[in-house]
Amino acid sequence: MKLIEGKPIADLVYEKCLQDIERLKAEGKQPGLAVVLIGDDPASKAYVGSKDKKCQELGLHSVKIEKPAEITQEELLSIIDDLNADDAIHGILVQMPLPKHLDSEEVIKRIDPAKDVDGLHPYNVAKLAMDDPTGFVPCTPGGCQRMLIESGIDVEGKHVVVVGRSLLVGKTLALLMMGKGEGGNATVTVAHSRTRNLPEVTQSADILVAAIGIPHFLGDEHVRDGSVVIDVGINRIDAPETAKGSRLVGDVDFDAVKDKCEAITPVPGGVGRMTIAMLMANTIRACEMREG
Ligand code: NAD
């Protein structure tokens, strides 16, 4: 079994980012990322903190906007308008989920598609569906695809089964895998909460991707001998034996399936390491693509 770890692959992405940043600097340009955080959800705060820290490390211009959960939709839209108009900002990310009274779809649609480094604006989703490489690909699915490419796992002609159909992960990864670009051309099946006979479907996968959000949901009966397993899930479960009292696990029961897999990503230390790397790469590309 080969363990596909996220860190060395994320480091390759960061190396390329540093080269691109140097080249842009010589042209008098500095990529800028704005991250908007609404409310004080601890997990969201931690994600936003990590993004900000990585920007500082790489030398990107970083703006962190934090507002209380009580913000109105109009106030949030006006923040987006200001960021759209700000020439020092090339990428805008609104940390999800937003508090319930806010309409996240409207917020995403308000972001200038050329600054939508999260790749969730309908314009970028359509570009992905149309095999147009000039759009932005959402960071987590983009990270999964990069892990496969860098690990030498060619998906062309293979059967990829993605469990989960969210736009953020499952549906987008399915589009990427069936797309005509590098790391695509797979035969893709998307399974979800209404899928019948899930083990039968997942057993037919050459490459199985779990993006479900239920700890250890896929076990021995779901995984075929010799398959590749990509576990996108990040779930916190109670672990009284640890100092913290909890730990992170994936959607796959790693210990139950690892010995039968050709390759598998761990949680933590797998796909999770890729998301911020892809966000940085998307922000740099947004800067490169800006005219002038
Ligand atoms: P989501 O809740 O939006 O979607 C979950 C999907 O799982 C749904 O499409 C649903 O149909 C499917 N599902 C639910 N129950 C099922 C069942 N019984 N059988 C088959 N399918 C079922 O979640 P999401 O945003 O797509 O995230 C999925 C997981 O990925 C979560 O654990 C999340 O924390 C993790 N995640 C990780 C990263 C990262 O950086 N690695 C980023 C985003 C999400």
Side-chain angles (χ1 to χ4, degrees), residues 11-51:
D11 284 345
L12 288 177
V13 175
Y14 289 132
E15 254 171 55
K16 167 87 170 48
C17 286
L18 284 170
Q19 290 165 11
D20 291 341
I21 289 166
E22 275 306 305
R23 187 175 31 78
L24 287 165
K25 203 169 160 188
E27 295 169 22
K29 296 176 184 167
Q30 185 188 29
L33 174 69
V35 180
V36 181
L37 173 65
I38 308 298
D40 50 13
D41 174 65
S44 294
K45 269 197 158 174
Y47 286 137
V48 168
S50 311
K51 287 165 188 167

Side-chain angles (χ1 to χ4, degrees), residues 140 163-166 168-170 191-193 198 211-214 217 232-235 251 271-272 275:
T140 302
V163 189
R165 58 175 163 181
S166 72
L168 188 64
V169 190
H192 47 78
S193 52
L198 186 66
I212 308 154
I214 305 176
F217 183 75
V232 185
I234 299 183
N235 310 287
D251 291 346
V271 176
T275 302

